[in-house]
Amino acid sequence: IAIGRKAHNLIGHSHWVRRIAITPDGKQAISASQDKTLKIWNLATAQEKNVLIGHTHWVKTVAVTPDGKQVVSASEDKTLKVWDLATGKETHCLIGHTRSVEAVVITPDGKQAISASRDSTLKIWNLVTGKEIYTLTGHSNSVGAVAITPNGKQAVSASRDSTLKVWDLVAGKEVYTLKGHTNSLTAVVITLDGKQAISASKDKTL
């Protein structure tokens, strides 16, 4: 493939595509769309392999487990869904948020997911049982982004309340709040060594 050249068009969704996740082997993509579906694509052939149907509103984001066997989607319908990537079947529906689920990340061991919601909370889910482990509360406005450290022990959330919070995932408690932005947070990522976080905000700064 020539660098900078388009290789394929992946055509099939009937509304905006909100997020894309790539499987660990780099062979498949999973797209999340406002048409309420997710699609699984073969990246070598650009062919649609499967459609994941079950959400009743926009699908906001998607993540893939490190082993490439499961997909976790988050939706405006207030739920997350866990899917078997090989079969396209829904294995769990994660219910508990009271507003749209804006973001989801999966722990490095692939056993848990962390969701961020407009209801101002984050929730930790057991992907084996489909049960909620605990809820993280403290933000005063919608939580739109979350990142997890490489060791899986801490998470950093970003909110419309202009703050970030660092959480101890083992204890299920807030460690501290990061203040400095003057407007809503839009994104957060953590460095590979787990020692720093980079945040993005509507105040035009990182």
Side-chain angles (χ1 to χ4, degrees), residues 70 82 91-92 94 110-113 125-131:
Q70 291 182 301
V82 183
T91 57
H92 297 295
L94 311 181
K111 295 180 180 180
Q112 297 177 353
W125 306 89
N126 183 315
L127 293 180
V128 177
T129 65
K131 301 297 183 182

Side-chain angles (χ1 to χ4, degrees), residues 1-8:
I1 299 174
I3 296 174
R5 298 285 183 87
K6 179 175 68 177
H8 299 295

Side-chain angles (χ1 to χ4, degrees), residues 114-126:
I114 306 167
S115 57
S117 171
R118 282 189 188 173
D119 65 14
S120 305
T121 73
L122 297 103
K123 290 182 181 291
I124 315 300
W125 306 89
N126 183 315

Side-chain angles (χ1 to χ4, degrees), residues 124 133-136 153 167-175:
I124 315 300
I133 300 172
Y134 45 70
T135 299
L136 304 177
K153 294 182 178 180
W167 307 90
D168 181 326
L169 296 179
V170 177
K173 296 180 179 180
E174 179 184 330
V175 181

Side-chain angles (χ1 to χ4, degrees), residues 38-108:
L38 299 104
K39 289 181 181 289
I40 302 170
W41 306 89
N42 182 315
L43 291 178
T45 64
Q47 296 299 306
E48 179 184 312
K49 294 184 63 178
N50 212 338
V51 183
L52 309 182
I53 300 173
H55 282 295
T56 59
H57 212 307
W58 301 343
V59 187
K60 305 296 279 292
T61 192
V62 60
V64 183
T65 53
D67 63 8
K69 293 181 179 181
Q70 291 182 301
V71 172
V72 182
S73 56
S75 172
E76 185 85 14
D77 67 14
K78 308 174 188 176
T79 74
L80 298 101
K81 290 184 181 292
V82 183
W83 310 84
D84 183 300
L85 185 59
T87 65
K89 301 295 184 182
E90 179 184 325
T91 57
H92 297 295
C93 184
L94 311 181
I95 300 173
H97 283 296
T98 58
R99 295 192 67 186
S100 171
V101 186
E102 300 294 295
V104 62
V105 292
I106 296 170
T107 53

